[in-house]
């Protein structure tokens, strides 16, 4: 696969730190109280996925948006990509933020699967957070009430990782997954519409054409990054949580979100969009998000 130029995903300084999760790249901009934004995990994930929120938040906050391990400008080396590595990246970013803001708690937003990692770290270190915003988080589909396995257990499907990474077809398989046509197809399923953001398509294609770009995605495809105890994790959250999700596309099943409506610290808001709510309704999403942050 030919390497292509990868421009910054968002404006602002791009800095690097080396801690628990290895070499971690992150963008930072704005002034004010700290906000941490986490992109999702998939074959073509990037900070570009949170760009509309980033651009809004930097007007009133100091915004931090890392390239998670295996993505963007962060380390993409050959190593185990698992739940703890991604949680370590969040811990690393909390330490980075603390260097500038001291013990001030952080407002954090996680998209899709990254919401699981964010919730896990928030249960572990609740004093480090002021609020959590979970945008189309995984863990609320029909049947997820059974996700109460031992702490930290993943949902890896035996044999899948070794199959997809078999040298004879590894490169061809990943190449097919991250062609422009494939990226546009899967984004269409995410948006629940063929009207996808073409700039997002382009950046997704570019970030997948970097050395080591297949390593984290193959771990994702194996199920290794999904938590088998996520229902237990979510139920342990005690700080204010806003769950925002779309009602179209492949990620619109929030059948098992009713239980959070009985919790005083949870708020749920559905939008007539696909999974990337703020790409389709940026003004409404950001207004509701600002309301949540100000009330909290």
């Amino acid at each position: 696969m030919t390497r292509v130029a990868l421009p910054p995903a968002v404006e602002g300084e791009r800095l690097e730190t080396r801690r628990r999760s290895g070499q971690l790249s992150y963008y930072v901009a704005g002034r004010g109280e700290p906000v941490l934004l986490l992109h999702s995990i998939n074959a073509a994930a990037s900070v570009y996925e949170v760009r509309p929120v980033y651009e809004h938040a930097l007007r009133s906050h100091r915004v931090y948006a890392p390239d998670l391990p295996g993505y963007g400008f962060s380390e993409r080396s050959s190593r185990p990509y698992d739940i703890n590595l991604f949680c370590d990246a969040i811990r690393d970013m909390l330490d980075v933020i603390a260097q500038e803001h001291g013990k001030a708690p952080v407002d954090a937003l996680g998209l899709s699967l990254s919401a699981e990692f964010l919730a896990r770290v928030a249960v572990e270190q609740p004093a480090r957070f002021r609020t959590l915003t979970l945008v189309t988080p995984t863990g609320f589909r029909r049947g997820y009430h059974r996700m109460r396995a031992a702490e930290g257990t993943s949902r890896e499907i035996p044999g899948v990782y070794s199959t997809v990474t078999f040298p004879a077809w590894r490169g061809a398989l990943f190449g097919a997954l991250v062609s422009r046509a494939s990226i546009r197809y899967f984004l269409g399923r995410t948006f629940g519409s063929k009207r996808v953001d073409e700039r997002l398509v382009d950046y997704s294609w570019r970030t997948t054409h970097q050395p080591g770009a297949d390593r984290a995605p193959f771990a994702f495809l194996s199920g290794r990054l999904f938590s088998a105890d996520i229902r237990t994790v979510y139920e342990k959250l005690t700080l204010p949580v806003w769950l925002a999700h779309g009602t179209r596309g492949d990620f619109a099943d929030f059948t098992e979100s009713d239980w959070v409506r009985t919790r005083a610290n949870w708020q749920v808001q559905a939008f007539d969009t696909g999974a990337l709510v703020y790409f389709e309704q940026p003004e409404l999403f950001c207004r509701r998000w600002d309301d949540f942050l100000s009330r909290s």
Side-chain angles (χ1 to χ4, degrees):
M1 184 181 295
T2 303
R3 180 174 184 170
V4 301
L6 183 65
V10 293
E11 295 181 359
E13 278 192 283
R14 188 181 70 79
L15 303 176
E16 294 183 356
T17 186
R18 179 170 289 277
R19 299 170 187 261
R20 306 170 187 83
S21 60
Q23 178 264 327
L24 196 67
S25 171
Y26 63 96
Y27 301 90
V28 59
R31 295 183 178 181
E33 297 302 312
V35 168
L36 175 63
L37 305 179
L38 303 175
H39 64 76
S40 74
I41 307 296
N42 54 61
S46 74
V47 170
Y48 203 102
E49 294 175 338
V50 296
R51 181 169 175 154
V53 184
Y54 179 96
E55 293 177 341
H56 170 79
L58 63 81
R59 302 171 191 170
S60 56
H61 291 79
R62 183 73 164 160
V63 188
Y64 299 80
D67 288 316
L68 292 173
Y71 295 100
F73 293 94
S74 287
E75 183 177 336
R76 302 198 195 207
S77 63
S78 179
R79 54 179 171 164
Y81 288 85
D82 56 21
I83 292 168
N84 191 58
L85 177 64
F86 287 89
C87 288
D88 273 346
I90 298 172
R91 297 177 187 114
D92 290 346
M93 287 307 303
L94 291 175
D95 290 346
V96 167
I97 294 169
Q99 287 185 324
E100 184 174 349
H101 298 270
K103 295 183 178 180
V106 176
D107 291 305
L109 178 151
L111 173 63
S112 190
L113 179 54
S114 289
E116 294 192 15
F117 310 137
L118 183 58
R120 187 176 298 281
V121 178
V123 167
E124 169 194 296
Q125 302 182 58
R128 305 292 295 272
F129 298 91
R130 198 177 76 92
T131 66
L132 298 186
T133 296
L134 311 182
V135 181
T136 318
T138 50
F140 292 91
R141 297 174 69 94
R142 186 182 302 277
Y144 267 67
H145 64 278
R146 295 188 291 269
M147 295 297 149
R148 300 180 183 279
E151 181 178 350
T153 306
S154 82
R155 298 181 60 207
E156 182 170 6
I157 303 170
V160 170
Y161 185 80
S162 60
T163 298
V164 297
T165 59
F166 192 70
W169 54 70
R170 176 174 184 155
L173 174 59
F174 189 68
L177 280 173
V178 298
S179 67
R180 287 186 184 273
S182 180
I183 288 170
R184 187 176 288 106
Y185 168 75
F186 284 109
L187 280 175
R189 295 177 63 173
T190 300
F191 276 77
S193 166
K194 292 184 178 180
R195 296 190 303 273
V196 302
D197 188 299
E198 288 300 323
R199 293 178 301 175
L200 177 57
V201 172
D202 182 69
Y203 198 88
S204 299
W205 179 79
R206 289 180 178 277
T207 195
T208 58
H209 286 68
Q210 308 301 317
D214 61 344
R215 289 169 175 147
F218 279 142
F220 166 78
L221 289 174
S222 74
R224 182 182 298 171
L225 305 182
F226 292 85
S227 298
D229 62 335
I230 192 58
R231 179 61 176 267
T232 304
V233 172
Y234 285 146
E235 288 180 350
K236 289 180 179 178
L237 290 171
T238 57
L239 68 164
V241 183
W242 184 41
L243 192 167
H245 69 88
T247 57
R248 300 197 314 265
D250 284 5
F251 307 100
D253 182 357
F254 281 79
T255 305
E256 298 203 359
S257 64
D258 285 347
W259 68 269
V260 306
R261 300 175 192 276
T262 66
R263 303 290 181 97
N265 62 309
W266 283 77
Q267 299 176 43
V268 181
Q269 176 75 55
F271 292 80
D272 183 21
T273 67
L276 297 173
V277 178
Y278 39 74
F279 271 89
E280 297 183 69
Q281 296 187 358
E283 292 183 3
L284 178 59
F285 175 88
C286 290
R287 185 166 65 249
R288 297 284 172 79
W289 186 43
D290 286 345
D291 289 346
F292 167 67
L293 296 181
S294 63
R295 289 196 308 270
S296 299

